[in-house]
Amino acid sequence: MFDIESRTGGQATSIPLDATQHGAEWLNDGVQGGSSIFRHTFRFFRRYGYEPQPVKLQVSFGKGRDSFWTNVFPSPLVEQLSSEIKKFGRVLKCIKYLMPILGILPVKAILRIFRFSDDFSNKMVLPLLALFLGTGNQTPNVSSVLLERLFNDPQMKLWDYDPDTLLPNLPIMYTFPNLGNFYRDWAEDLKSKGVEMRFNCKIEILERGKKGALLRTQFHDDCCRGQANTEMYDHLVLCCPADEAKKLLDRHATWKEKYVLGGVKFYNDLTITHSDSKYFQQIFESQYSPDLCASPTSETQKKQVAVAEQQPLSQKDGWQGFRPMYFIHSFPSDPEKIEMGFDCTNYQHQFRETLGMDQPPLPQSRHVFQTIFLDDQQQSLWTWNDIDVSKVIARKWWHQFGHRWQHYLRVVPGMMLINGTYRTLYAGSWTMVNMHEIACISGIAAAYQLGAAYEPFDDFAEDFFAKYLLVCHGTRYKRRKSKEH
Ligand SMILES: Cc1cc2nc3c(=O)[nH]c(=O)nc-3n(C[C@H](O)[C@H](O)[C@H](O)COP(=O)(O)OP(=O)(O)OC[C@H]3O[C@@H](n4cnc5c(N)ncnc54)[C@H](O)[C@@H]3O)c2cc1C
């Protein structure tokens, strides 16, 4: 296994924190969590003694009374858009029944065709979808098949559609264990089983044919270069981003590979992890205020408001009271573009573990926040210069693909045509959806194609794997007979 980086894990990274200041020793600053569908991910965690932790997810979208909404208590915006929320449920059904025609259209086209208002589109649907998929500013161009699947497909959906509030109250998500430690342990275990891992290693494909690939490999870090070796391999599994895979294949790529790999569009995003609570509160609504609340219209809503008005208290699975974790706001000057943020202290479980149960939260000034600035081509919109530099904990650039509608017309259906070309397989979340779980399944599928057995451990996970294998490799998964289970 070769990686250009000095460690395993890719975008699943952890950083150390000052525990005396922030109440926890570490933070997952890339991948943070997932839903209950992440079965393969959780199984890998458990194999090394790590457990994902449930959290009742609270979101806070928009800024100010006219734009704000949450899944924690009623807001004026949800009240104002209630008829469109109901209509949205009917449109989801339409997309489902007219999938071949409507499914490939970008979300922005669907929202226009069905005459949804700008407020509903920009303040509700687009932020929600961006949150689901991490699609950022490409969300309006996402294929509507994803919109429909994310609400209706049991294997993809994070939440059910709610005809009154759009998001049901407090869905369960899971935050991940220290991913740096987990990937370290996984790598150590593989090494002990004979897998050779080479980090800071640059590879070049010298030849590729029916018998495999001839590679030039070379250790390469900031200060020195090792000796270059030439090595022959029977098979290649390219688990790097599609644009990198295309570059590696270079003149050896077939026209199909060039077409499919070249169809994945990547964007450069920046995360700034910081503790500037003043900046965060200027951008997002992170505290309860009666001004943000609509008059409750049911007993359930009355209870929600009563809880939100009280002092928040830590729970094993989140917070009692308003302690939002996911934040999105759109720019007034360009409402289709968004900025995403996290209150990691409210979200990740290690902060609550240190605090103990039924405790009030740390003061905001000690919280760890993260803002994701999307697409470096849109830097003129970014608010990054407003963050107090003395409060910055980490800055990282990421290279992420966008789920444009073309991805589902060109890339995903094309995967089965290129997987296996000259003994080359592809893995990575870009092969389908930008989720850690897909990254895991795609790797397992590559191993399966090379002859490894899939070990069934959960019907839902097995179905998910079978679907992936069919879509991306064109291979039908052969279930073992029940006796063999
Ligand atoms: C800030 C951020 C937050 C996210 N949060 C979540 C989340 O909470 N939940 C979730 O499910 N998903 C999340 N995602 C998406 C998730 O990170 C990805 O879907 C998934 O982890 C990607 O895994 P991957 O293996 O496909 O790619 P990567 O993790 O990018 O791995 C690619 C690997 O290839 C290596 N590589 C690259 N080029 C070369 C080369 N030339 N030679 C050798 N090696 C090379 C890299 O070093 C890396 O190790 C997030 C992404 C980002 C950027």
Side-chain angles (χ1 to χ4, degrees):
M1 201 197 87
F2 302 100
D3 201 309
I4 194 103
E5 287 289 328
S6 57
R7 45 156 199 89
T8 47
Q11 298 181 349
T13 58
S14 309
I15 51 169
L17 289 178
D18 173 359
T20 52
Q21 173 64 11
H22 302 299
E25 286 176 350
W26 57 273
L27 180 85
N28 287 329
D29 68 328
V31 178
Q32 295 192 58
S35 72
S36 62
I37 68 166
F38 282 46
R39 307 280 164 99
H40 297 88
T41 302
F42 295 173
R43 187 159 187 256
F44 284 132
F45 288 162
R46 287 178 181 133
R47 193 179 284 172
Y48 298 100
Y50 295 96
E51 195 57 37
Q53 299 295 332
V55 59
K56 287 182 179 154
L57 189 74
Q58 302 191 15
V59 300
S60 166
F61 292 146
K63 177 78 185 157
R65 187 177 161 85
D66 294 342
S67 301
F68 166 82
W69 67 287
T70 176
N71 60 335
V72 182
F73 54 85
S75 65
L77 188 72
V78 170
E79 206 173 49
Q80 177 204 322
L81 298 174
S82 72
S83 61
E84 292 196 63
I85 294 175
K86 289 192 173 63
K87 179 167 127 186
F88 185 67
R90 298 194 293 274
V91 169
L92 284 178
K93 282 192 190 132
C94 261
I95 303 175
K96 185 175 172 184
Y97 293 121
L98 297 172
M99 183 59 80
I101 306 155
L102 296 185
I104 55 159
L105 291 180
V107 168
K108 64 180 175 194
I110 288 285
L111 292 169
R112 244 179 256 141
I113 291 169
F114 288 94
R115 296 175 162 271
F116 285 103
S117 66
D118 285 350
D119 271 358
F120 183 70
S121 305
N122 296 333
K123 294 179 181 172
M124 296 199 89
V125 178
L126 297 182
L128 194 59
L129 202 53
L131 182 155
F132 273 141
L133 292 173
T135 38
N137 286 337
Q138 284 312 307
T139 310
N141 300 322
V142 162
S143 137
S144 359
V145 63
L146 275 186
L147 180 68
E148 191 277 331
R149 293 287 81 193
L150 279 170
F151 281 101
N152 291 330
D153 185 336
Q155 284 168 349
M156 277 181 79
K157 74 175 173 186
L158 298 184
W159 293 305
D160 291 313
Y161 158 77
D162 185 302
D164 295 320
T165 58
L166 192 56
L167 272 193
N169 196 33
L170 306 179
I172 293 281
M173 290 279 281
Y174 291 83
T175 54
F176 291 168
N178 183 315
L179 290 170
N181 291 348
F182 160 69
Y183 273 98
R184 178 203 60 205
D185 291 357
W186 192 358
E188 286 305 318
D189 181 44
L190 292 178
K191 274 193 225 163
S192 75
K193 289 174 177 156
V195 177
E196 191 184 329
M197 294 194 174
R198 293 195 225 156
F199 297 106
N200 290 316
C201 193
K202 210 174 164 184
I203 69 160
E204 197 186 323
I205 299 174
L206 300 176
E207 279 171 32
R208 193 175 63 137
K210 286 184 181 148
K211 289 190 176 159
L214 185 68
L215 306 184
R216 178 185 293 136
T217 62
Q218 187 177 28
F219 176 84
H220 200 284
D221 73 4
D222 290 344
C223 63
C224 49
R225 281 171 189 214
Q227 201 195 330
N229 297 314
T230 310
E231 303 169 56
M232 184 72 196
Y233 287 88
D234 299 337
H235 297 270
L236 280 182
V237 184
L238 296 177
C239 312
C240 52
D243 53 352
E244 196 61 30
K246 187 163 171 261
K247 229 191 295 168
L248 284 175
L249 288 173
D250 195 24
R251 68 199 153 86
H252 307 291
T254 62
W255 69 265
K256 279 188 208 160
E257 285 174 318
K258 282 184 193 154
Y259 179 74
V260 174
L261 299 174
V264 189
K265 176 100 172 89
F266 283 88
Y267 299 88
N268 296 316
D269 304 334
L270 172 73
T271 55
I272 300 189
T273 306
H274 60 91
S275 61
D276 189 349
S277 58
K278 218 167 117 205
Y279 159 81
F280 204 75
Q281 281 168 53
Q282 268 167 20
I283 302 279
F284 302 113
E285 297 293 355
S286 59
Q287 310 264 35
Y288 174 78
S289 143
D291 187 45
L292 299 173
C293 194
S295 306
T297 54
S298 64
E299 278 310 307
T300 315
Q301 289 194 351
K302 273 186 197 155
K303 278 189 204 142
Q304 288 174 349
V305 176
V307 174
E309 278 171 343
Q310 283 164 14
Q311 156 87 297
L313 293 175
S314 59
Q315 308 286 297
K316 176 95 184 80
D317 57 358
W319 290 90
Q320 190 185 319
F322 187 52
R323 290 279 93 189
M325 297 139 194
Y326 261 95
F327 299 79
I328 288 182
H329 81 99
S330 47
F331 297 99
S333 60
D334 192 347
E336 284 192 3
K337 303 281 183 312
I338 58 162
E339 203 158 85
M340 297 168 67
F342 293 92
D343 185 328
C344 304
T345 306
N346 286 346
Y347 186 35
Q348 296 191 20
H349 60 274
Q350 65 275 24
F351 295 93
R352 291 194 304 281
E353 271 165 19
T354 326
L355 212 55
M357 293 308 107
D358 294 320
Q359 297 300 312
L362 288 178
Q364 290 272 320
S365 58
R366 292 177 60 192
H367 279 218
V368 179
F369 305 100
Q370 187 182 72
T371 310
I372 307 189
F373 298 101
L374 299 159
D375 187 0
D376 58 356
Q377 300 301 308
Q378 308 285 343
Q379 277 183 30
S380 56
L381 291 170
W382 293 4
T383 58
W384 54 338
N385 290 328
D386 298 341
I387 301 176
D388 178 347
V389 282
S390 68
K391 296 192 171 150
V392 170
I393 298 168
R395 280 166 59 104
K396 278 189 192 171
W397 282 96
W398 310 89
H399 190 57
Q400 289 207 80
F401 78 98
H403 304 79
R404 303 179 307 160
W405 59 277
Q406 295 93 326
H407 195 81
Y408 295 91
L409 210 58
R410 176 169 165 183
V411 181
V412 178
M415 286 316 300
M416 67 164 82
L417 305 176
I418 63 166
N419 260 317
T421 309
Y422 292 124
R423 297 184 170 213
T424 305
L425 294 165
Y426 296 90
S429 62
W430 62 266
T431 58
M432 196 175 263
V433 184
N434 196 11
M435 290 179 181
H436 190 271
E437 177 68 2
I438 293 291
C440 291
I441 293 179
S442 66
I444 300 170
Y448 182 87
Q449 292 297 72
L450 290 178
Y454 178 84
E455 295 167 17
F457 62 98
D458 173 304
D459 288 347
F460 179 87
E462 197 176 4
D463 270 1
F464 201 172
F465 171 75
K467 277 190 185 156
Y468 180 90
L469 196 68
L470 185 63
V471 172
C472 287
H473 290 266
T475 302
R476 255 177 217 291
Y477 167 66
K478 292 193 188 75
R479 273 168 216 278
R480 293 197 217 170
K481 297 213 174 80
S482 51
K483 257 192 201 164
E484 291 175 52
H485 273 231

PDB file of all heavy atoms in Angstrom, residues 262-276:
ATOM      1  N   GLY A 262     -12.199  11.876 -15.818  1.00  0.00           N
ATOM      2  CA  GLY A 262     -12.211  13.318 -16.101  1.00  0.00           C
ATOM      3  C   GLY A 262     -13.571  13.953 -15.808  1.00  0.00           C
ATOM      4  O   GLY A 262     -13.697  15.183 -15.802  1.00  0.00           O
ATOM      5  N   GLY A 263     -14.575  13.142 -15.555  1.00  0.00           N
ATOM      6  CA  GLY A 263     -15.919  13.685 -15.276  1.00  0.00           C
ATOM      7  C   GLY A 263     -16.111  14.076 -13.821  1.00  0.00           C
ATOM      8  O   GLY A 263     -17.132  14.669 -13.459  1.00  0.00           O
ATOM      9  N   VAL A 264     -15.151  13.719 -12.967  1.00  0.00           N
ATOM     10  CA  VAL A 264     -15.304  14.062 -11.537  1.00  0.00           C
ATOM     11  C   VAL A 264     -14.757  15.472 -11.330  1.00  0.00           C
ATOM     12  O   VAL A 264     -13.612  15.759 -11.674  1.00  0.00           O
ATOM     13  CB  VAL A 264     -14.525  13.066 -10.633  1.00  0.00           C
ATOM     14  CG1 VAL A 264     -14.864  13.296  -9.173  1.00  0.00           C
ATOM     15  CG2 VAL A 264     -14.822  11.634 -11.034  1.00  0.00           C
ATOM     16  N   LYS A 265     -15.603  16.334 -10.788  1.00  0.00           N
ATOM     17  CA  LYS A 265     -15.171  17.729 -10.618  1.00  0.00           C
ATOM     18  C   LYS A 265     -14.781  17.943  -9.158  1.00  0.00           C
ATOM     19  O   LYS A 265     -15.565  17.657  -8.249  1.00  0.00           O
ATOM     20  CB  LYS A 265     -16.340  18.640 -11.016  1.00  0.00           C
ATOM     21  CG  LYS A 265     -16.092  20.101 -10.810  1.00  0.00           C
ATOM     22  CD  LYS A 265     -15.702  20.784 -12.125  1.00  0.00           C
ATOM     23  CE  LYS A 265     -15.634  22.294 -11.997  1.00  0.00           C
ATOM     24  NZ  LYS A 265     -14.363  22.815 -11.600  1.00  0.00           N
ATOM     25  N   PHE A 266     -13.565  18.427  -8.971  1.00  0.00           N
ATOM     26  CA  PHE A 266     -13.076  18.652  -7.602  1.00  0.00           C
ATOM     27  C   PHE A 266     -13.029  20.148  -7.269  1.00  0.00           C
ATOM     28  O   PHE A 266     -12.873  20.984  -8.163  1.00  0.00           O
ATOM     29  CB  PHE A 266     -11.672  18.047  -7.442  1.00  0.00           C
ATOM     30  CG  PHE A 266     -11.706  16.552  -7.301  1.00  0.00           C
ATOM     31  CD1 PHE A 266     -11.677  15.738  -8.417  1.00  0.00           C
ATOM     32  CD2 PHE A 266     -11.790  15.950  -6.053  1.00  0.00           C
ATOM     33  CE1 PHE A 266     -11.724  14.358  -8.308  1.00  0.00           C
ATOM     34  CE2 PHE A 266     -11.846  14.572  -5.922  1.00  0.00           C
ATOM     35  CZ  PHE A 266     -11.805  13.775  -7.051  1.00  0.00           C
ATOM     36  N   TYR A 267     -13.161  20.421  -5.980  1.00  0.00           N
ATOM     37  CA  TYR A 267     -13.111  21.808  -5.485  1.00  0.00           C
ATOM     38  C   TYR A 267     -12.135  21.863  -4.319  1.00  0.00           C
ATOM     39  O   TYR A 267     -11.991  20.890  -3.572  1.00  0.00           O
ATOM     40  CB  TYR A 267     -14.504  22.253  -5.006  1.00  0.00           C
ATOM     41  CG  TYR A 267     -15.507  22.227  -6.117  1.00  0.00           C
ATOM     42  CD1 TYR A 267     -16.214  21.063  -6.396  1.00  0.00           C
ATOM     43  CD2 TYR A 267     -15.723  23.335  -6.923  1.00  0.00           C
ATOM     44  CE1 TYR A 267     -17.118  21.012  -7.452  1.00  0.00           C
ATOM     45  CE2 TYR A 267     -16.620  23.302  -7.968  1.00  0.00           C
ATOM     46  CZ  TYR A 267     -17.312  22.140  -8.230  1.00  0.00           C
ATOM     47  OH  TYR A 267     -18.198  22.086  -9.276  1.00  0.00           O
ATOM     48  N   ASN A 268     -11.500  23.014  -4.161  1.00  0.00           N
ATOM     49  CA  ASN A 268     -10.592  23.185  -3.021  1.00  0.00           C
ATOM     50  C   ASN A 268     -11.293  23.987  -1.933  1.00  0.00           C
ATOM     51  O   ASN A 268     -11.737  25.107  -2.169  1.00  0.00           O
ATOM     52  CB  ASN A 268      -9.315  23.907  -3.463  1.00  0.00           C
ATOM     53  CG  ASN A 268      -8.550  23.056  -4.456  1.00  0.00           C
ATOM     54  OD1 ASN A 268      -8.400  21.855  -4.264  1.00  0.00           O
ATOM     55  ND2 ASN A 268      -8.106  23.658  -5.537  1.00  0.00           N
ATOM     56  N   ASP A 269     -11.432  23.358  -0.780  1.00  0.00           N
ATOM     57  CA  ASP A 269     -12.113  23.989   0.362  1.00  0.00           C
ATOM     58  C   ASP A 269     -11.103  24.191   1.498  1.00  0.00           C
ATOM     59  O   ASP A 269     -10.102  23.474   1.576  1.00  0.00           O
ATOM     60  CB  ASP A 269     -13.238  23.089   0.883  1.00  0.00           C
ATOM     61  CG  ASP A 269     -14.247  22.723  -0.190  1.00  0.00           C
ATOM     62  OD1 ASP A 269     -14.393  23.505  -1.147  1.00  0.00           O
ATOM     63  OD2 ASP A 269     -14.878  21.661  -0.069  1.00  0.00           O
ATOM     64  N   LEU A 270     -11.437  25.135   2.376  1.00  0.00           N
ATOM     65  CA  LEU A 270     -10.559  25.395   3.521  1.00  0.00           C
ATOM     66  C   LEU A 270     -11.367  25.235   4.807  1.00  0.00           C
ATOM     67  O   LEU A 270     -12.482  25.758   4.899  1.00  0.00           O
ATOM     68  CB  LEU A 270     -10.038  26.841   3.426  1.00  0.00           C
ATOM     69  CG  LEU A 270      -9.265  27.376   4.622  1.00  0.00           C
ATOM     70  CD1 LEU A 270      -7.869  26.749   4.711  1.00  0.00           C
ATOM     71  CD2 LEU A 270      -9.111  28.909   4.538  1.00  0.00           C
ATOM     72  N   THR A 271     -10.812  24.493   5.779  1.00  0.00           N
ATOM     73  CA  THR A 271     -11.458  24.521   7.102  1.00  0.00           C
ATOM     74  C   THR A 271     -10.570  25.316   8.046  1.00  0.00           C
ATOM     75  O   THR A 271      -9.349  25.151   8.045  1.00  0.00           O
ATOM     76  CB  THR A 271     -11.673  23.113   7.710  1.00  0.00           C
ATOM     77  OG1 THR A 271     -10.434  22.424   7.747  1.00  0.00           O
ATOM     78  CG2 THR A 271     -12.693  22.310   6.960  1.00  0.00           C
ATOM     79  N   ILE A 272     -11.215  26.179   8.821  1.00  0.00           N
ATOM     80  CA  ILE A 272     -10.491  26.857   9.900  1.00  0.00           C
ATOM     81  C   ILE A 272     -11.158  26.413  11.207  1.00  0.00           C
ATOM     82  O   ILE A 272     -12.361  26.585  11.405  1.00  0.00           O
ATOM     83  CB  ILE A 272     -10.512  28.393   9.748  1.00  0.00           C
ATOM     84  CG1 ILE A 272      -9.859  28.781   8.414  1.00  0.00           C
ATOM     85  CG2 ILE A 272      -9.786  29.057  10.917  1.00  0.00           C
ATOM     86  CD1 ILE A 272      -9.609  30.259   8.200  1.00  0.00           C
ATOM     87  N   THR A 273     -10.345  25.762  12.035  1.00  0.00           N
ATOM     88  CA  THR A 273     -10.818  25.320  13.350  1.00  0.00           C
ATOM     89  C   THR A 273     -10.358  26.379  14.340  1.00  0.00           C
ATOM     90  O   THR A 273      -9.179  26.756  14.341  1.00  0.00           O
ATOM     91  CB  THR A 273     -10.219  23.934  13.680  1.00  0.00           C
ATOM     92  OG1 THR A 273     -10.519  23.054  12.592  1.00  0.00           O
ATOM     93  CG2 THR A 273     -10.791  23.367  14.961  1.00  0.00           C
ATOM     94  N   HIS A 274     -11.274  26.890  15.133  1.00  0.00           N
ATOM     95  CA  HIS A 274     -10.917  28.050  15.959  1.00  0.00           C
ATOM     96  C   HIS A 274     -11.782  28.112  17.217  1.00  0.00           C
ATOM     97  O   HIS A 274     -12.710  27.295  17.385  1.00  0.00           O
ATOM     98  CB  HIS A 274     -11.113  29.338  15.136  1.00  0.00           C
ATOM     99  CG  HIS A 274     -12.531  29.534  14.674  1.00  0.00           C
ATOM    100  ND1 HIS A 274     -13.463  30.224  15.412  1.00  0.00           N
ATOM    101  CD2 HIS A 274     -13.186  29.105  13.563  1.00  0.00           C
ATOM    102  CE1 HIS A 274     -14.620  30.225  14.768  1.00  0.00           C
ATOM    103  NE2 HIS A 274     -14.478  29.543  13.638  1.00  0.00           N
ATOM    104  N   SER A 275     -11.489  29.088  18.075  1.00  0.00           N
ATOM    105  CA  SER A 275     -12.324  29.254  19.266  1.00  0.00           C
ATOM    106  C   SER A 275     -12.830  30.702  19.349  1.00  0.00           C
ATOM    107  O   SER A 275     -13.017  31.239  20.437  1.00  0.00           O
ATOM    108  CB  SER A 275     -11.534  28.874  20.522  1.00  0.00           C
ATOM    109  OG  SER A 275     -10.423  29.716  20.631  1.00  0.00           O
ATOM    110  N   ASP A 276     -13.048  31.309  18.189  1.00  0.00           N
ATOM    111  CA  ASP A 276     -13.532  32.693  18.161  1.00  0.00           C
ATOM    112  C   ASP A 276     -15.064  32.698  18.206  1.00  0.00           C
ATOM    113  O   ASP A 276     -15.746  32.722  17.180  1.00  0.00           O
ATOM    114  CB  ASP A 276     -13.014  33.386  16.894  1.00  0.00           C
ATOM    115  CG  ASP A 276     -13.305  34.882  16.908  1.00  0.00           C
ATOM    116  OD1 ASP A 276     -14.084  35.322  17.784  1.00  0.00           O
ATOM    117  OD2 ASP A 276     -12.773  35.598  16.053  1.00  0.00           O
TER     118      ASP A 276
END
